[in-house]
């Protein structure tokens, strides 16, 4: 027996009516009617419009892939054409470049040959001048004094070769980073000026005799002395009293300068004494003399 609440109170419902009411509720909530939506969602999870668009995606991707491949192929062809043109230009210009190089090498060799010939001529003229001067001087005391004076001037100026004891100094680049520990022209200038101040009588660098007309300069990657390019190691020979020359060199600015380069930059700076050094004369350099009556 069931009871139902109405506006006037509680009314008793008979069993037949209760069963009918329950059957009506079950009819309204039938399983088949409530599962249609879920069944449709399960069977068709994607909206038909989205499905149509998704079906067209592979075709679009295929077209994009084909376009990318075509663009890549065009780029490869263009790069290949550029390399081919560059190779052809290089091949065509190679004979002209080789010809210019050969001409430049020939000009350099010709200039070197002319320079050597002029140097030999200068040496020959200097020897002839010395012979004539010696023959022109007599054997009297005045001529002997003049001859000694000329010999001394030749030694000082570089017009004559000199031999004697002195210092042998070897300097060279360090072993660190390139450019930070290389011997510069100013380093050699400081060393040479220090040797002059210390009392050196004659100096040469790698066989190049220094005179009042000499210049120590940097030209490109090389150091030039008397307009001749030199490479390291640089050997500086200085004639003078070995005992006093080395001690006085330390008192000049050259001593601390090169000791600092050796300690801080790792550059080579070796000083040794020699009982006999030979410094050649400067080719073509002569000392003119005159006599007053």
């Amino acid at each position: 027996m069931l009871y139902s609440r109405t506006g006037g109170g509680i009314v008793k419902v008979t069993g037949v009516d209760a069963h009918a009411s329950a059957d009506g509720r079950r009819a309204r909530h039938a399983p088949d009617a409530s599962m249609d939506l879920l069944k449709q969602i399960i069977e068709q999870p994607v909206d038909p419009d989205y499905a149509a668009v998704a079906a067209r995606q592979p075709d679009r991707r295929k077209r994009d892939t084909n376009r990318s491949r075509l663009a890549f192929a065009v780029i490869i062809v263009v790069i290949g054409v550029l390399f081919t043109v560059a190779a052809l230009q290089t091949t065509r210009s190679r004979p002209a470049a080789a010809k210019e190089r050969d001409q430049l090498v020939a000009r350099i060799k010709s200039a070197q040959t002319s320079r050597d010939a002029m140097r030999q001529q200068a040496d020959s003229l200097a020897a002839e001048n010395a012979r004539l001067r010696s023959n022109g001087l007599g054997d009297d005391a005045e001529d002997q004094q003049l001859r000694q004076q000329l010999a001394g001037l030749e030694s000082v100026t570089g017009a004559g070769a000199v031999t004697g004891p002195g210092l042998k100094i070897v300097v060279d680049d360090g072993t660190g980073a390139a450019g930070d520990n290389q011997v510069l022209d100013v380093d050699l200038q400081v060393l040479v000026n220090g040797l002059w101040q210390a009392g050196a009588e004659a100096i040469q660098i790698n066989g190049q005799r220094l005179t009042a007309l000499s210049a120590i300069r940097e030209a490109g990657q090389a150091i030039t002395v008397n307009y001749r390019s030199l490479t390291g190691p640089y050997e500086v020979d200085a004639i003078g009293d070995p005992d006093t020359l080395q001690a006085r060199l330390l008192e000049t600015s050259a001593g601390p300068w090169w000791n600092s380069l050796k300690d801080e930059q790792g550059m080579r700076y070796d000083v040794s004494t020699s009982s006999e050094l030979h410094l050649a004369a400067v080719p073509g350099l002569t000392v003119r003399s005159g006599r007053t009556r």
Side-chain angles (χ1 to χ4, degrees):
M1 183 178 294
L2 301 175
Y3 295 88
S4 175
R5 183 179 298 278
T6 62
I10 298 176
V11 178
K12 181 167 60 175
V13 181
T14 62
V16 176
D17 294 337
H19 287 291
S21 177
D23 293 338
R25 288 195 298 270
R26 284 195 296 269
R28 286 195 300 270
H29 299 286
D32 294 339
S34 61
M35 295 298 289
D36 287 343
L37 180 59
L38 294 176
K39 183 177 180 182
Q40 184 178 1
I41 293 173
I42 294 173
E43 293 178 355
Q44 298 179 356
V46 180
D47 187 85
D49 294 335
Y50 287 103
V53 173
R56 291 195 298 268
Q57 287 297 328
D59 296 335
R60 181 179 299 174
R61 293 175 181 175
K62 185 176 181 180
R63 289 196 298 270
D64 293 341
T65 302
N66 292 334
R67 291 175 183 174
S68 300
R69 290 177 179 175
L70 180 60
F72 182 74
V74 171
I75 294 173
I76 292 298
V77 171
V78 171
I79 294 176
V81 171
L82 292 177
F83 274 109
T84 302
V85 172
L88 289 175
Q89 291 179 349
T90 303
T91 303
R92 292 176 180 176
S93 61
R94 186 174 300 168
K99 184 177 180 180
E100 293 179 358
R101 180 182 178 277
D102 294 339
Q103 291 177 352
L104 182 59
V105 171
R107 291 175 58 187
I108 293 174
K109 291 182 178 179
S110 176
Q112 290 176 346
T113 303
S114 300
R115 182 200 63 193
D116 295 339
M118 294 178 64
R119 182 172 297 167
Q120 292 178 0
Q121 184 180 4
D123 293 342
S124 177
L125 292 175
E128 180 67 15
N129 186 30
R131 186 184 66 80
L132 293 175
R133 184 183 58 199
S134 178
N135 293 336
L137 295 176
D139 294 332
D140 56 8
E142 186 177 358
D143 289 342
Q144 291 291 341
Q145 183 180 1
L146 181 58
R147 186 179 287 108
Q148 293 177 359
Q149 183 180 358
L150 286 174
L153 291 175
E154 286 178 346
S155 300
V156 173
T157 59
V162 293
T163 301
L167 294 182
K168 182 182 293 292
I169 304 175
V170 180
V171 299
D172 199 2
D173 301 339
T175 57
D180 296 336
N181 57 356
Q182 292 182 349
V183 177
L184 305 178
D185 53 352
V186 64
D187 300 326
L188 292 180
Q189 292 171 7
V190 170
L191 180 57
V192 168
N193 290 334
L195 288 171
W196 288 128
Q197 294 176 13
E201 301 174 4
I203 302 174
Q204 70 177 9
I205 302 177
N206 285 14
Q208 293 297 314
R209 182 77 174 274
L210 298 183
T211 69
L213 303 178
S214 299
I216 302 175
R217 301 179 180 178
E218 185 174 358
Q221 300 297 324
I223 295 178
T224 63
V225 178
N226 295 336
Y227 304 101
R228 297 292 300 272
S229 297
L230 305 181
T231 58
Y234 304 95
E235 181 178 316
V236 182
D237 297 330
I239 290 182
D241 188 349
D243 297 331
T244 60
L245 190 59
Q246 185 172 3
R248 291 178 180 177
L249 180 63
L250 296 175
E251 298 176 356
T252 66
S253 59
W257 180 286
W258 270 99
N259 285 328
S260 176
L261 292 178
K262 180 179 181 180
D263 297 337
E264 298 179 5
Q265 304 296 334
M267 298 171 65
R268 182 181 179 184
Y269 176 56
D270 299 332
V271 182
S272 60
T273 60
S274 177
S275 59
E276 183 176 275
L277 296 173
H278 178 74
L279 278 62
V282 177
L285 184 63
T286 59
V287 177
R288 293 181 175 89
S289 61
R291 177 181 297 182
T292 59
R293 298 293 184 180

